[in-house]
């Protein structure tokens, strides 16, 4: 029986272990945290958006843009839904975003735990892999393991200690994740393991993350949520844009549309480029329509003050800021606002420009962009082109998806492919 060792018991690792065991291999799953699948519990705000019905190649990013799609096509959203159904997880569809019917991320994790047990996978927690040594006949995996053992200290008290161990395997699947949300276990040590084996790591940066922006006024508008479009500009023009609920915070901008464009900001800033975000708070109106709308609004209630003019249209904190930034007197009558003043207000609404100075840290990022260079893998099997028997899956690879179930879909699809092939002779 082929011996497969999977390193990392996150989404991709548990899927790889299930796939390899289902294909008849003897599987060991090593995890350095005290429990498996910690990150899954925090996905989808605790509800786990585990895939999405709407799938297109452009929803996945990589240096080789076609690479992820080849894997996704082999195990797509429908395969994911039926896989979980077989494990007892009935799904709920919210505009294409798929969740467990119970709305509990723990249901996905529990289903995996039961399946790993049913298939006889040897799950070892508290096992940190520090080196993978390929040999003529398979691999040796060097680990440090947390053990609850009597201490050798004079006090005689027992306590956890670290013990060096090693495992043998015919194939290894490296599923150690990225650097995002390191408290869940993905501390970036997987990249070091891959690097020691000769694989190239493309720059790893936070993605699906909040953006820090210049401007002391952010403190004034912090807490405001507003529907709008975020367009991100680098030195070469528009990098990305997205529409949805923008959250204004005391350090900058957040919310789903900001997450969707954040990977482009991360990369451009890393390359030393200037990055600007342009916020459109009325995306359904063209500039001309907005101008005409403001003029009509001023003529309908000319006695309102400038301060009162936008009440009911935008959050008061925002309109107060715009009145201040345009230099319009707060007590000026709406009917007396000049064309120039109305045009200035219009550009605040349609083209609010902020300089992006950075992203929040890995602690707040949902995923990372960059990782193990996919050009060094077989695109059909995810096996290393350098080391036969070594496979990769999940976020450790240079693949990141959009927000909306795509990153877990990548984890399931790549875990499935790598696990199945690792189990073959
Ligand atoms: C807050 C949050 C919400 C999210 N919500 C969603 C969502 O709703 N939908 C979606 O599609 N995606 C979501 N994501 C992204 C998604 O969770 C990840 O892309 C996915 O879990 C990655 O799976 P993985 O198996 O590659 O890595 P991980 O889940 O990070 O698993 C890697 C595992 O390897 C272990 N490990 C690392 N190094 C070692 C080592 N040296 N030795 C032993 N073990 C090791 C880690 O402890 C960890 O358990 C979210 C992410 C976060 C942080």
């Amino acid at each position: 029986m082929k011996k497969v060792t999977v390193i990392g018991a996150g989404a991709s690792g548990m899927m790889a272990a299930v796939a390899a065991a289902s294909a008849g291999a003897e599987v060991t799953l090593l995890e350095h945290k005290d429990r498996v699948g910690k990150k899954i519990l925090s996905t989808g705000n605790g509800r786990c958006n585990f895939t999405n019905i709407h799938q297109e190649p452009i929803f996945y990013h990589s240096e080789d843009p076609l690479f992820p799609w080849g894997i996704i096509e082999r195990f797509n959203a429908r395969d994911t839904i039926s896989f979980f159904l077989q494990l007892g997880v009935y799904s709920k569809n919210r505009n294409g975003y798929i969740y467990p019917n119970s709305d509990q991320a723990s249901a996905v994790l529990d289903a995996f735990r039961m399946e790993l047990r049913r298939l006889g996978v040897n799950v070892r927690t508290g096992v940190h892999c520090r080196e993978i040594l390929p040999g003529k006949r398979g691999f040796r995996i060097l680990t440090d393991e947390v053990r609850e053992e009597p201490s050798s200290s004079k006090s005689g008290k027992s306590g956890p200690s670290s013990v060096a161990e090693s495992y043998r395997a015919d194939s290894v699947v490296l599923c150690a994740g990225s650097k995002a949300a390191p408290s869940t276990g993905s501390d970036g040590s997987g990249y070091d393991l891959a690097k020691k084996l000769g694989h190239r790591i493309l720059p790893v940066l936070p993605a699906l993350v909040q953006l820090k922006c210049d401007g002391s006024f952010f403190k004034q508008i912090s807490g405001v949520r507003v529907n709008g479009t975020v367009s991100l500009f680098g030195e070469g023009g528009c990098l990305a844009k997205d529409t949805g609920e923008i959250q204004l915070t005391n350090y900058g901008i957040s919310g789903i549309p900001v997450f969707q464009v954040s990977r482009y900001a991360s990369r451009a800033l890393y390359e030393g480029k200037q990055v600007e975000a342009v916020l459109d708070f009325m995306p359904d109106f063209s500039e001309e329509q907005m101008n005409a709308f403001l003029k009509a609004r001023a003529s309908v209630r000319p006695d309102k003050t400038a301060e009162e003019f936008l009440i009911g249209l935008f959050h008061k904190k925002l309109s107060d800021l715009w009145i201040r930034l345009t230099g319009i007197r707060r007590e000026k009558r709406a009917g007396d606002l000049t064309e120039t003043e109305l045009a200035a207000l219009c550009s605040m609404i349609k083209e609010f420009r902020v300089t992006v100075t950075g992203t929040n840290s890995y602690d707040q990022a949902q995923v990372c962009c960059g990782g193990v260079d996919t050009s060094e893998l077989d695109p059909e099997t995810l096996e290393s082109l350098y080391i036969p028997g070594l496979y990769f899956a999940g976020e450790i690879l240079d693949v990141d998806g959009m927000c909306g179930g795509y990153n877990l879909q990548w984890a399931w699809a790549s875990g499935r492919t790598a696990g199945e092939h690792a189990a073959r002779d």
Side-chain angles (χ1 to χ4, degrees), residues 7-13 30-33 37 39 42-44 48-49 127-129 175-178 181 184-187 189-190 193 365-367 393-396 405-409 411:
I7 299 172
S12 62
L30 305 179
E31 166 57 49
H32 64 183
K33 290 303 253 190
K39 191 176 284 176
S42 44
T43 58
C48 188
N49 171 205
V127 177
H128 175 74
C129 300
C175 302
S178 66
T184 61
S186 46
D187 58 2
S189 57
L193 292 172
Q366 288 200 357
V367 297
E395 223 183 288
I396 190 170
Y406 300 102
N407 287 291
L408 283 173
Q409 178 58 38

Side-chain angles (χ1 to χ4, degrees), residues 15 50-53 55 69-87 89 91 98 112 408-409 412-414 416-417 420:
M15 179 56 113
F50 66 84
T51 189
N52 198 307
I53 286 295
Q55 293 282 335
W69 192 244
I71 301 293
I72 298 289
E73 274 189 319
R74 266 180 225 116
F75 191 82
N76 60 30
R78 294 202 179 277
D79 297 322
T80 296
I81 291 167
S82 56
F83 169 82
F84 280 110
L85 191 56
Q86 278 169 33
L87 265 55
V89 180
S91 58
I98 306 295
F112 261 116
L408 283 173
Q409 178 58 38
W412 313 134
S414 57
R416 175 72 168 218
T417 300
E420 268 178 5

